[in-house]
Amino acid sequence: MKVLMKPIEVIAWFTKEGIPNPIKYRVREEEKDNIIKIGRVVTRTEEKLAGNRMLIYRCQTILHDHIKVYELKYEVNTCRWFLFKI
Amino acid sequence: MIAKKQGINSTSHAVYPLRVVRLNFFILYYEHMFIYTYGKEGVNYMHNRIIFHIDVNSAYLSWEAVYRLQQGQTVDLREIPSVIGGNEENRHGIVLTKSIPAKKYSIKTGETLFSARNKCPELVVVPPRYTLYMQCSSAMVEILKEYSPTIQRYSIDEVFLDYTNMECHFGEAVEAAHKIKDRIRKELGFTVNIGIGNNKLLAKMASEFEKPNKVHTLYREEIAKKMWGLPVEELFFVGSSTAKKLKSKGIMTIGELANTDPSYLQQWLKSHGLLIWQYANGLDDSVIKNNGVPMKGLGNSNTIAFDVTDSITAHQILLALSETVGTRIRNANKCAYVLSISIKNDHLISYSHQRKLDVPIASTNSIYENAKRLFNEVWKGEPIRHLGIYLSSLCLNDFYQISLFETKEKEHKKLDEAIDKIRVKYGCHAVIRSSFVNSDLSPLMGGVLTEEEYPMMSSLL
């Protein structure tokens, strides 16, 4: 996987405990918006590098009959989502 | 031949006993004062203390590097010649921290970015980001709090931790220090050095030994082996000018300083001489202060982006500094009896002027008026590069002598209170003085962070 760290727009649902779960995201590529539905969140981990809390979601989606694995990042401090690795 | 040898021995013996007696006398006196201060149980505790000193390696730079890696950048600033440096346009262009590869080009902290670039043309210069540093430092303190209830944040990147009697919870001191060091690296991404000693001084000296990412011990019995061989300027509290003085008398190492007659040092260098002798012998009984060091004074200064040549602009700058200093002193619920100003001219020569006031002050207006008066008395008319205001001799602001001649004191107090509240709620630039409206000068000057208190390093242990 390659590190991209591209800001993305996300639709997510939050548990009562306040944990966000992404449903789908929109990413702009070559002047075109792509909407990708998240098939399954495989793992969710937390990192606190430099004291900055981030949630990392390893997700998978079936695209053209292939399972595509990628990682999303949610920065708690700024409420921003990133396409971290693909 | 034998007689000659004995002769030499007897002369050297004739010199040493007096010195040994004096040394012993000082150590006995020190221990006596110790018992007097702490009681017998306290002495037991003070003698068996285990103190950790946690020091972040190239703090600003490694914090920035970790943050950049987290944000998806592939280059690790710690692995290339890089420095954190101020803004050159505003004449703040000095090296604040350097990476280890930059050190190989003999780039030094405090030198100008211009000379650093001359030494290494491919040098990467990154501007400082103080909010990030506070965040990193706080995250580290949060981890350390899990290991001991007694923690002192000594500066933004240095923490003292009292590990005494904690062995039953987290294992032997060295083992626990390794655990803490590895955990900080794994969770927060940066490396620290941990020094372990019987007091704060020894712990601090130990953390300086070999970097990065190391744990060192310096217990009382290891002083001669690990510390005495180091050059004297490595000792805490021995700056470049003291080191020069000591070297002129042939005192080159910490060991030589430790074995010098303390009464001689006291006569020569006054109380500072005795203090560094105590430090060279590893004597320090300062306690870990959970609430930080009590504040003795506060001040703010600013290097101005251009040379100030007229008194009107200089007064404006003093006003902007008074705003910052005033807010801080009122926040601390204190008033000051002594106000001083400092001026640095275009030849980098500094001078200052201070006055003890009849009544303590805390309001922005009175700070400004007094600073202006002092400035007019002392300024020689040459171009100014740097201005500062400092307040000291602080007292609490609940009961104090008021002035008979100050008629609008109540009004000023209310006005300051209202302005402070507005700035807290809506940001520090929500209310500014109209004299700054069409000016290029910032209405509030001084300090690195406006939104929170930034822990600067204290000169006291």
Side-chain angles (χ1 to χ4, degrees):
Chain A
M1 281 198 283
K2 209 179 124 196
V3 176
L4 279 184
M5 203 63 187
K6 208 170 180 180
I8 49 170
E9 291 176 329
V10 172
I11 294 178
W13 63 275
F14 284 69
T15 66
K16 282 181 208 152
E17 289 73 34
I19 298 162
N21 292 282
I23 299 167
K24 54 180 169 182
Y25 70 88
R26 180 160 62 185
V27 63
R28 203 166 171 79
E29 276 169 346
E30 293 158 7
E31 302 290 304
K32 216 178 96 193
D33 279 341
N34 282 331
I35 296 174
I36 288 137
K37 195 173 176 303
I38 291 150
R40 194 164 78 93
V41 174
V42 187
T43 56
R44 188 192 71 231
T45 49
E46 192 184 319
E47 70 172 28
K48 248 193 320 193
L49 293 175
N52 191 23
R53 248 183 94 204
M54 274 197 172
L55 299 172
I56 306 161
Y57 297 83
R58 182 171 265 258
C59 312
Q60 63 184 42
T61 297
I62 299 173
L63 274 177
H64 314 298
D65 293 333
H66 284 290
I67 295 178
K68 192 96 184 145
V69 181
Y70 50 91
E71 285 185 10
L72 302 183
K73 258 189 176 187
Y74 177 68
E75 193 170 39
V76 178
N77 206 10
T78 57
C79 303
R80 287 193 305 163
W81 287 90
F82 299 92
L83 178 58
F84 177 42
K85 280 182 191 171
I86 194 153
Chain B
M1 193 68 183
I2 292 165
K4 248 189 184 176
K5 256 189 186 172
Q6 278 173 344
I8 292 165
N9 278 345
S10 63
T11 44
S12 59
H13 267 283
V15 178
Y16 274 103
L18 183 63
R19 185 190 277 182
V20 171
V21 167
R22 275 192 183 157
L23 280 180
N24 283 342
F25 168 74
F26 265 88
I27 291 172
L28 273 175
Y29 169 76
Y30 190 80
E31 295 209 336
H32 170 77
M33 288 308 291
F34 217 71
I35 296 170
Y36 179 76
T37 318
Y38 298 105
K40 285 242 159 101
E41 275 175 32
V43 168
N44 207 9
Y45 161 75
M46 291 299 277
H47 268 289
N48 299 316
R49 282 194 304 170
I50 297 175
I51 308 293
F52 285 8
H53 177 253
I54 298 100
D55 185 5
V56 182
N57 305 130
S58 328
Y60 288 1
L61 192 105
S62 41
W63 289 336
E64 180 71 34
V66 177
Y67 181 72
R68 285 180 174 222
L69 289 177
Q70 193 198 29
Q71 296 293 323
Q73 290 203 8
T74 44
V75 180
D76 190 338
L77 289 177
R78 290 167 291 189
E79 289 164 7
I80 56 166
S82 62
V83 295
I84 302 284
N87 186 337
E88 283 169 296
E89 272 180 27
N90 293 341
R91 305 203 298 185
H92 296 162
I94 56 159
V95 174
L96 300 171
T97 325
K98 61 200 177 292
S99 68
I100 290 167
K103 212 176 182 174
K104 287 182 189 143
Y105 290 88
S106 67
I107 291 170
K108 293 195 174 71
T109 303
E111 79 172 290
T112 59
L113 290 176
F114 178 77
S115 92
R117 276 206 196 91
N118 276 346
K119 289 177 186 172
C120 173
E122 68 271 24
L123 186 75
V124 176
V125 181
V126 182
R129 211 190 310 228
Y130 294 102
T131 330
L132 170 72
Y133 307 154
M134 268 309 287
Q135 181 181 297
C136 292
S137 171
S138 305
M140 181 175 81
V141 170
E142 280 311 306
I143 290 183
L144 296 176
K145 275 183 186 166
E146 291 178 27
Y147 294 89
S148 172
T150 321
I151 279 176
Q152 182 185 343
R153 208 166 176 168
Y154 188 58
S155 72
I156 192 151
D157 65 334
E158 288 178 57
V159 178
F160 284 110
L161 182 148
D162 192 344
Y163 194 71
T164 320
N165 302 329
M166 286 290 160
E167 294 88 341
C168 50
H169 301 292
F170 308 106
E172 285 303 308
V174 176
E175 194 188 316
H178 272 104
K179 248 188 248 170
I180 294 173
K181 171 180 80 74
D182 295 340
R183 213 182 131 192
I184 290 174
R185 186 178 192 175
K186 192 170 162 246
E187 285 184 24
L188 307 178
F190 53 86
T191 60
V192 294
N193 255 40
I194 302 185
I196 308 170
N198 296 112
N199 54 41
K200 285 162 79 178
L201 174 91
L202 293 176
K204 187 162 167 57
M205 289 301 296
S207 71
E208 300 286 327
F209 285 162
E210 197 198 340
K211 293 175 177 181
N213 202 23
K214 294 263 162 49
V215 172
H216 297 287
T217 60
L218 181 59
Y219 292 119
R220 225 168 269 124
E221 55 277 12
E222 295 175 311
I223 294 174
K225 196 176 121 203
K226 292 188 177 175
M227 193 170 82
W228 281 5
L230 297 176
V232 74
E233 61 267 26
E234 297 279 312
L235 184 67
F236 183 59
F237 251 67
V238 176
S240 56
S241 63
T242 314
K244 218 170 155 186
K245 279 185 203 164
L246 291 170
K247 282 180 176 173
S248 72
K249 303 266 176 181
I251 301 169
M252 301 301 202
T253 64
I254 299 178
E256 283 165 0
L257 176 64
N259 289 306
T260 308
D261 188 344
S263 51
Y264 167 66
L265 284 170
Q266 195 176 16
Q267 270 177 8
W268 177 31
L269 301 168
K270 308 288 172 274
S271 61
H272 183 235
L274 191 60
L275 184 78
I276 56 172
W277 175 82
Q278 285 173 354
Y279 283 174
N281 281 289
L283 302 171
D284 162 49
D285 60 353
S286 56
V287 289
I288 293 200
K289 302 169 191 97
N290 252 342
N291 306 325
V293 186
M295 187 162 66
K296 285 190 172 176
L298 63 93
N300 276 108
S301 63
N302 196 32
T303 302
I304 309 133
F306 53 93
D307 282 342
V308 177
T309 46
D310 61 309
S311 58
I312 296 169
T313 316
H315 290 168
Q316 281 275 87
I317 291 159
L318 287 175
L319 178 60
L321 286 168
S322 306
E323 292 271 9
T324 316
V325 174
T327 311
R328 287 179 62 204
I329 196 168
R330 290 191 294 274
N331 236 343
N333 292 324
K334 295 270 166 75
C335 297
Y337 270 108
V338 175
L339 185 138
S340 72
I341 61 145
S342 71
I343 300 172
K344 191 191 275 179
N345 64 24
D346 57 340
H347 294 297
L348 301 178
I349 295 164
S350 300
Y351 51 95
S352 64
H353 188 34
Q354 70 170 36
R355 176 159 298 143
K356 176 136 189 162
L357 307 164
D358 300 327
V359 287
I361 53 167
S363 83
T364 305
N365 275 346
S366 38
I367 294 170
Y368 171 58
E369 288 301 331
N370 282 295
K372 201 164 72 172
R373 204 168 302 143
L374 288 177
F375 174 82
N376 291 341
E377 284 170 17
V378 78
W379 185 43
K380 295 170 193 140
E382 79 277 45
I384 306 165
R385 183 187 170 87
H386 183 104
L387 273 172
I389 298 181
Y390 304 93
L391 300 172
S392 52
S393 273
L394 304 185
C395 64
L396 286 174
N397 70 352
D398 40 6
F399 291 103
Y400 60 89
Q401 177 65 49
I402 55 166
S403 168
L404 272 174
F405 310 106
E406 178 61 75
T407 47
K408 289 191 171 171
E409 185 163 324
K410 260 189 188 169
E411 286 86 342
H412 280 161
K413 208 175 167 183
K414 273 189 177 170
L415 177 68
D416 283 330
E417 226 169 78
I419 291 174
D420 289 348
K421 276 186 188 165
I422 291 170
R423 284 186 178 153
V424 167
K425 200 168 175 185
Y426 300 105
C428 51
H429 291 279
V431 188
I432 59 164
R433 303 221 174 211
S434 54
S435 57
F436 289 101
V437 169
N438 288 321
S439 151
D440 290 336
L441 297 167
S442 166
L444 280 96
M445 280 188 194
V448 286
L449 273 186
T450 41
E451 63 264 43
E452 52 193 322
E453 275 297 305
Y454 180 85
M456 286 298 178
M457 190 159 145
S458 154
S459 59
L460 300 164
L461 264 182

